[in-house]
Amino acid sequence: MHVVSAQEKGIAIVAHRGYWNCEASGSAKNSIAALKQAQELGVWGSEFDVNMSLDGQLLVFHDNSVEGKRIEKHPASDFDYYRLKNGESIPNIDQFLEQAKKSPKTMLVYELKKHSCDSVETNAVDASIAKLKEHGIFSPDRVMFISFSYYMTCKVARLLPDFVVQYLSGGKEPKDLLADGVNGLDYAHHFFVEHPEWADQARELGMTTNIWTVNTEDYMLQTIDFGVMYITTDTPLDARRVIKENGVKEVR
């Protein structure tokens, strides 16, 4: 086991789509309330998903479609009617970043969602960077990027070499990611089960490591065993308890 390494370096909790799994958030994923609750809980980071609409607006929403309407094929106003579980409208990036600014210690784990082609993805990356600059939080101390799109992952890594940029899809060895300028991996739990050596390889290469989405105690214990840096979870309170009970430092 690699528990000694985990104890020395600690592990950071990332609230998946914010801390939505609580009464105060109304079970609304990617909501302003979920971000606020993650901030108040004091976890290291809060993850959120960003899609770009036809008119270039950035919306914080997980799926690429809303009730069958693909976000990138419709102007943002077409989704004004939609409500999250807690009654909030779909946040745009300005609303989301205004809340983000209220807690400088909370790392924003910014997921760039896949879009239909490279040109649209390029626009989404450029718009994201512009908004972060506009809101005064364009800093590697405030934001890291993740994506299932290898094109977007590599593009951000080239543009922003000082930022943490992690690939989500899995299947690529750490050395191959690093060869393309990507300095982190954020893989589903099963990839680390199948390739337990990848966490050590990434650490030796100076890369960052994350596992998603870890919601059971058994998986949390395995995540500690792997010695990764971040654990992304829908149940941050459970993760905090398991980390503490196993004598591991929670990085905040």
Side-chain angles (χ1 to χ4, degrees):
M1 292 181 70
H2 301 102
V3 174
V4 172
S5 176
Q7 287 173 333
E8 290 174 350
K9 297 185 177 182
I11 188 166
I13 297 172
V14 176
H16 184 233
R17 306 183 202 174
Y19 182 27
W20 61 269
N21 195 11
C22 65
E23 184 177 353
S25 298
S27 299
K29 303 175 183 180
N30 277 319
S31 63
I32 300 294
L35 172 59
K36 182 174 184 288
Q37 292 307 309
Q39 293 169 329
E40 292 183 357
L41 187 62
V43 291
W44 179 83
S46 187
E47 184 265 356
F48 60 104
D49 308 281
V50 179
N51 281 278
M52 190 174 70
S53 64
L54 181 64
D55 54 348
Q57 301 300 306
L58 298 174
L59 301 181
V60 180
F61 195 75
H62 178 266
D63 297 345
N64 58 24
S65 297
V66 179
E67 297 187 331
K69 297 191 289 285
R70 190 172 178 87
I71 293 173
E72 70 172 85
K73 301 296 183 183
H74 290 263
S77 59
D78 280 5
F79 307 107
D80 286 349
Y81 74 94
Y82 188 83
R83 292 293 178 267
L84 305 179
K85 283 189 174 182
N86 65 354
E88 287 185 29
S89 58
I90 297 173
N92 62 41
I93 197 65
D94 293 302
Q95 295 165 330
F96 203 82
L97 294 181
E98 280 301 310
Q99 177 61 42
K101 288 192 291 188
K102 297 176 181 179
S103 179
K105 292 184 177 180
T106 305
M107 177 64 72
L108 299 177
V109 183
Y110 193 125
E111 181 174 342
L112 293 153
K113 301 301 289 187
K114 272 189 172 184
H115 293 75
S116 60
C117 62
D118 291 354
S119 62
V120 176
E121 292 193 338
T122 293
N123 291 338
V125 168
D126 292 343
S128 294
I129 293 172
K131 283 296 183 183
L132 290 166
K133 290 180 176 179
E134 179 183 329
H135 285 270
I137 52 177
F138 182 68
S139 166
D141 295 326
R142 298 298 313 280
V143 185
M144 61 181 281
F145 297 92
I146 60 177
S147 185
F148 282 97
S149 163
Y150 202 58
Y151 174 81
M152 296 178 97
T153 303
C154 291
K155 181 173 180 61
V156 175
R158 288 193 301 271
L159 289 172
L160 308 175
D162 294 333
F163 285 70
V164 170
V165 183
Q166 297 180 331
Y167 183 50
L168 286 167
S169 289
K172 289 184 179 291
E173 294 185 39
K175 63 180 178 60
D176 295 328
L177 292 173
L178 195 60
D180 286 331
V182 178
N183 59 24
L185 56 157
D186 182 359
Y187 287 172
H189 172 267
H190 72 87
F191 282 107
F192 286 96
V193 173
E194 295 161 6
H195 302 280
E197 72 279 7
W198 282 1
D200 288 334
Q201 290 174 4
R203 188 162 44 248
E204 290 169 2
L205 292 169
M207 301 173 70
T208 60
T209 50
N210 194 353
I211 295 183
W212 62 266
T213 300
V214 183
N215 293 335
T216 68
E217 184 166 340
D218 285 348
Y219 280 13
M220 290 172 187
L221 290 171
Q222 284 184 314
T223 298
I224 293 171
D225 183 25
F226 294 139
V228 300
M229 297 173 66
Y230 318 130
I231 175 173
T232 297
T233 178
D234 289 314
T235 56
L237 282 178
D238 288 343
R240 175 168 285 171
R241 174 183 56 79
V242 171
I243 289 169
K244 182 178 180 180
E245 288 177 353
N246 284 272
V248 179
K249 176 185 175 183
E250 179 188 346
V251 177
R252 301 202 194 185

